Amino acid sequence: MAGAEAASPRPPVAVRPARRASTSSWPPLDRVAYWLCWATGIGLCLIAAAIVLYMLVKGISYVRLSMFVDSPAPSLHQTQSGGFSDPIIGTLLVTAIGTVIAAPLGVALAAWVSEYARPAWLSRAVESALEMVAGAPSVVLAIFGLLIFSQGFLGSLSQHSATGGVLGQSFLNAGIVMSALALPLVFASTRESLAQLPDRLREASYALGKTRATTIRRVLLPSVRPGIASGIVLGMGRIIGDTAIITILLGATLRNEPVGGTPLLGTLRGTGSTLTSYVFNNSPAGEGNSHEKAYAAAFVLLMIVLALNALVTRLTGEREPRIWGGRTWRVLRRGAGRLRWTR
Amino acid sequence: MYTGARKQDHGRSGARADRRAERTLGALAAAVLVLIGAMVVTVLIKAWPSFSHNGLGWFGAGGEVDTELRAMREGTPLAGHSIYYFRAWPLLWGTLVTTLAAVVLALIVSTFAAVFVTEFAPAPVRRALEPVIRLLAGVPSVVYGLIGILALAPWINEHLISNGRKQSVIYVVQLNGANLTTGTIILMVMITPIMVAISTNALASVPIAWREGSAALGVNRWRTIWRVSLRTARPAIAAATVLATARALGEAVMLAMVSGSRAFSANPLDGVTFLFEPVRPLAAEILQESEGLTIGPLGHTLYAIGAVLLVSAGLLSLAGWAAKQPLKRYGIRA
Amino acid sequence: MRAHRTLVVSLILVAVLAVPASAGARRLIIGGSTSVLPLAQKLATAYHQAFPKIAAPKVGGGQSDIGISGAATGRLDIGDSSRDPIRGVDPKGLIFTRIARDGVCVITNPQNPISNLSSETVEGIFTGRIRDWSQVPNHMITGPIDLFDRDGASGTQDAFQHIFLGEALKISSSATAETSNGLEQNAVASDKQAIGFVSFAYTAGVNAAGYRGIACSLRNAKSEQYLGVRNFWMVTKGLPKGEALKFIKWVTSGNAATKRIINSSWIAVH
């Protein structure tokens, strides 16, 4: 081969980009498959567009700015049933509690599994257990939560009823169980990001005499901040969208009813509603029977989820180049704008 | 997992700090494990009375679920049975039918869609499809349920369920828009994005040399995908299917809204009418009856249903792990 | 620095975990009948407005039987019931306090605005003897009848059974059982061929059919011409005490605020 080329060198020919092969030469069955592929692809786009447009149309026609500031009022007529300010606050509270618990816990567990992982059986067990929690239905987590939080010694997390029985439903309880939803996502994301860090980063740190704990805290975790952030945002998305845990653990009162005098703690121990349970209750499957309010709240919910999605895209869109060293890399990243990763 | 530089001595205080950190984190991990284990054990313990009173008949058929639960709520046992009497077959059948149908349909749709994204889609369409998939995966189930119950269910009721069809089963059950078909369609739309994402990843990481080799032999693009890429990505698609099944199993809110107003055992011998009969899957049943969780026998029954779901999720986790093992051979990401 | 942080964290933890459960006056927990629910919610809001220092009671649903059993077990401070007490079935030791009366209407879809149903027709439809709208006198639509019932724990179902069907006849088992007035109202409003029954306060958006020639309206219910009227009760374990006693006394005192609320959709008895 080489000999032939050396004997008759050809002048370089401009390479034309290959034309897309036409499918007219294919057997009919393959052509059917080709069109099916196109059909499903476009079909998915159409379904997504239909969902967004439908919710947009219904939402814009029913959403009023007053709904964001009015509290829900008990009424069987849609014009008098107020807005959904309390459910929005409820969503924020539950998400905050869930994230505050799940984020540090998930990062700590991921760091331990990635860096220490002794004894090995414990590390494998923790990974499997978290995978099982990730796959468990949220209703099951909710009924387990209700069981635990109805015990007397946890009564300070919610409130007591007449003869001392514990209600077991409050923002704190719902938030704690919600953290179980977000934990596997934060854990997986952080662990994957830590696994992608090159060993020389750790070796450099040890060579400088740092302990493993310091390495994790000062070198590794700051390097995987985007991974941790995207895991947290994914977890938040899952928490915001969940209804089953709210229905079982949040008492389904129209407004956020605090318990006791203390300002923040009273609300956390009290019952209330979130956007998801508000939509559920106002749909024909719930008591409220206000389609307009359900659409309006569902529209707001969808917008929040879309915003979170866009945030995740932005966080994971910039692929980091292989790390060269802490500071230098960070300066490079900021200075060069978007860096494309090429292998 | 970093395996080097384990037994380094960083100086006495450094080593102590390191050991302290390791012990703390290890204790944390153990605590989380204990908590999760406690969850499983507690649910099983709370579920035990229902299983012990019914034996294996718990999974069988015999009577209406709604009637049995009503008897538990009122405290008056049904004639000739204990207060714990419960036959979960209608729920199990409903879960089986909706989950299986949704997963099979989603498998077909997602495979074609994944092939489209990796192979046939022009660049702008491919760029558009990624946010589309993420959007579909991110929509909360309650929004899907709302659209189902306010848009899809009335449409199906108006156009697909004729009066004659309703008449044919009226002595047994009433047909309306909340039925097996509506639930399955929306469930399929919910689980397809997960499968598309995982399948796309797997198809894209098939070694390019294999695809080029097949093209060099003159095989057209579809055949290449079918015979080479999909075959290689089969374990990943299996893992994706397992994940999607777990998701479908655990879906409570959407199915509670659109799959039916009655825990009915849809009868396939009814022909096409079978598609329009109401069903109630397990998770939706727990949500529907959630107010009775504190009432004795009803609570035990609901926890028993939860235990069945938990065990299924555990088995699916195991299946997913088993499905991922062949992937290690080719280094396919999943 | 680290000690400082630990101190702050432990202080916060102590504050969170050690807050006594009885910080401030406890709220009443009321629940049960979904028919009483709108009335109880309005009364709770008005109670808080009348006595700003007392937190508004938390009002929930679940149907009458849940309210009664909840009051008996202590899960609820006050249970709401829209059916009369049944000796031998209800737990012992409960005190029923009557707070209002309410009408029960037979409802149909607005596209099927039947104005009157005779007692034979009602019995025929709800026991399943009449299965098609074409068999109903003055029918406005044709097609199979979609029957909607209430769950066994419902007080409204008890009242309907008692008043409209008598003791001998039972509602057809192929009817769809809804677990609240709101769901029943939804179901009938969204199905052209549906028929069901709800408490009077839930008749918005559906057609309330007359019974035996008398329209189901508040005026006819107050004048006792319309026959489908039943009692609302608040149930406590033993005589009401403490906060519950204050609330029930206020509700049954016949003051201007409660009278106005009750007379809006219900019948006052005090």
Side-chain angles (χ1 to χ4, degrees), chain B residues 130-187:
Chain B
E130 198 183 296
V132 160
I133 299 293
R134 210 171 287 169
L135 169 81
L136 284 176
V139 174
S141 12
V142 75
V143 175
Y144 273 121
L146 192 71
I147 296 181
I149 203 173
L150 286 177
L152 190 57
W155 188 90
I156 289 186
N157 196 19
E158 281 286 319
H159 298 269
L160 294 179
I161 307 183
S162 64
N163 274 346
R165 200 185 295 283
K166 287 194 193 184
Q167 200 86 353
S168 64
V169 284
I170 195 161
Y171 286 93
V172 184
V173 70
Q174 285 171 182
L175 301 179
N176 58 26
N179 52 40
L180 173 62
T181 308
T182 323
T184 308
I185 291 179
I186 302 188
L187 196 58

Side-chain angles (χ1 to χ4, degrees), chain A residues 74 76-77 156 159-163 167 169 251 253-254 257-262 265 269 271 283-287 289 291, chain C residues 15-17 19-21 23-24 26-27 29 34 38 41-42 45 58 73-77 180 182-183 185-186 201-202 204:
Chain A
L76 294 168
H77 297 276
S156 55
Q159 53 185 318
H160 294 260
S161 65
T163 56
L167 187 64
Q169 295 171 330
T253 45
L254 267 183
E257 313 273 7
V259 168
T262 40
L265 210 53
R269 287 178 58 210
T271 56
S283 73
E287 311 281 332
N289 193 24
H291 300 189
Chain C
V16 166
L17 290 177
V19 169
R26 226 178 28 78
R27 286 172 59 217
I29 304 182
T34 60
Q41 278 173 334
K42 291 202 171 122
T45 320
K58 166 175 144 53
T73 57
R75 196 177 60 91
L76 302 168
D77 295 312
S180 73
L183 293 173
Q185 179 193 24
N186 274 339
Y202 288 84

Side-chain angles (χ1 to χ4, degrees), chain B residues 2-34:
Chain B
Y2 185 61
T3 49
R6 268 247 172 88
K7 306 252 168 107
Q8 297 266 342
D9 186 76
H10 304 287
R12 264 203 302 220
S13 69
R16 234 184 297 135
D18 221 14
R19 273 200 298 275
R20 218 178 330 143
E22 177 175 0
R23 263 200 297 262
T24 326
L25 285 180
L28 196 64
V32 167
L33 193 63
V34 164

Side-chain angles (χ1 to χ4, degrees), chain C residues 162-177:
Chain C
H162 194 76
I163 299 171
F164 290 75
L165 293 185
E167 302 307 319
L169 300 168
K170 292 273 169 273
I171 299 181
S172 162
S173 58
S174 65
T176 311

Side-chain angles (χ1 to χ4, degrees), chain B residues 53-126:
Chain B
H53 282 255
N54 287 301
L56 277 179
W58 194 94
F59 297 92
E64 290 272 336
V65 166
D66 288 329
T67 322
E68 291 154 9
L69 292 178
R70 188 185 312 174
M72 288 185 213
R73 231 179 304 157
E74 296 177 354
T76 49
L78 296 170
H81 300 289
S82 81
I83 187 87
Y84 281 97
Y85 181 73
F86 188 67
R87 293 291 179 263
W89 176 247
L91 302 176
L92 295 172
W93 175 241
T95 316
L96 206 67
V97 176
T98 44
T99 311
L100 224 64
V103 167
V104 165
L105 287 173
L107 184 63
I108 299 174
V109 169
S110 70
T111 311
F112 281 113
V115 167
F116 177 66
V117 169
T118 43
E119 191 68 25
F120 298 129
V125 177
R126 187 180 316 157

Side-chain angles (χ1 to χ4, degrees), chain C residues 6-265:
Chain C
T6 326
L7 185 64
V8 169
V9 166
S10 39
L11 273 177
I12 295 178
L13 270 172
V14 165
V16 166
L17 290 177
V19 169
S22 53
R26 226 178 28 78
R27 286 172 59 217
L28 280 176
I29 304 182
I30 305 178
S33 164
T34 60
S35 309
V36 182
L37 181 64
L39 176 60
Q41 278 173 334
K42 291 202 171 122
L43 287 173
T45 320
Y47 184 64
H48 178 59
Q49 279 169 353
F51 305 100
K53 290 223 187 256
I54 306 182
K58 166 175 144 53
V59 180
Q63 298 181 111
S64 300
D65 284 4
I66 306 281
I68 294 174
S69 66
T73 57
R75 196 177 60 91
L76 302 168
D77 295 312
I78 299 177
D80 293 330
S81 169
S82 63
R83 64 161 174 79
D84 294 343
I86 304 177
R87 192 173 288 281
V89 170
D90 291 334
K92 301 203 188 340
L94 296 173
I95 300 284
F96 283 63
T97 313
R98 196 166 71 144
I99 61 167
R101 277 166 73 73
D102 174 50
V104 174
C105 297
V106 175
I107 51 169
T108 58
N109 190 278
Q111 291 181 355
N112 179 21
I114 293 201
S115 56
N116 180 49
L117 291 166
S118 68
S119 56
E120 295 90 49
T121 317
V122 167
E123 285 173 15
I125 292 178
F126 280 91
T127 54
R129 196 168 34 88
I130 301 177
R131 297 269 179 185
D132 199 290
W133 280 111
S134 50
Q135 298 166 332
V136 173
N138 317 326
H139 64 263
M140 308 236 163
I141 59 165
T142 53
I145 297 181
D146 283 339
L147 196 54
F148 285 94
D149 183 15
R150 287 289 303 282
D151 189 273
S154 159
T156 311
Q157 191 208 46
D158 243 295
F160 179 81
Q161 174 83 49
H162 194 76
I163 299 171
F164 290 75
L165 293 185
E167 302 307 319
L169 300 168
K170 292 273 169 273
I171 299 181
S172 162
S173 58
S174 65
T176 311
E178 302 288 350
T179 50
S180 73
N181 274 304
L183 293 173
E184 179 101 354
Q185 179 193 24
N186 274 339
V188 171
S190 47
D191 186 349
K192 199 172 65 169
Q193 288 144 328
I195 187 170
F197 54 89
V198 290
S199 161
F200 181 76
Y202 288 84
T203 49
V206 290
N207 170 59
Y211 182 61
R212 283 189 174 174
I214 314 282
C216 181
S217 72
L218 197 56
R219 208 168 52 140
N220 290 341
K222 284 186 174 152
S223 65
E224 310 253 327
Q225 276 192 304
Y226 181 74
L227 296 172
V229 184
R230 42 67 183 278
N231 296 314
F232 274 176
W233 308 87
M234 283 196 168
V235 186
T236 48
K237 192 172 177 70
L239 287 166
K241 291 183 277 293
E243 294 292 327
L245 177 63
K246 259 195 272 182
F247 181 66
I248 292 185
K249 262 178 125 170
W250 181 81
V251 166
T252 54
S253 63
N255 61 60
T258 56
K259 261 202 140 110
R260 189 170 32 88
I261 292 174
I262 296 179
N263 280 319
S264 62
S265 299

Side-chain angles (χ1 to χ4, degrees), chain A residues 214-226:
Chain A
T214 317
T215 310
I216 297 178
R217 202 149 54 99
R218 297 252 180 237
V219 179
L220 300 181
L221 288 185
S223 312
V224 295
R225 263 204 286 256

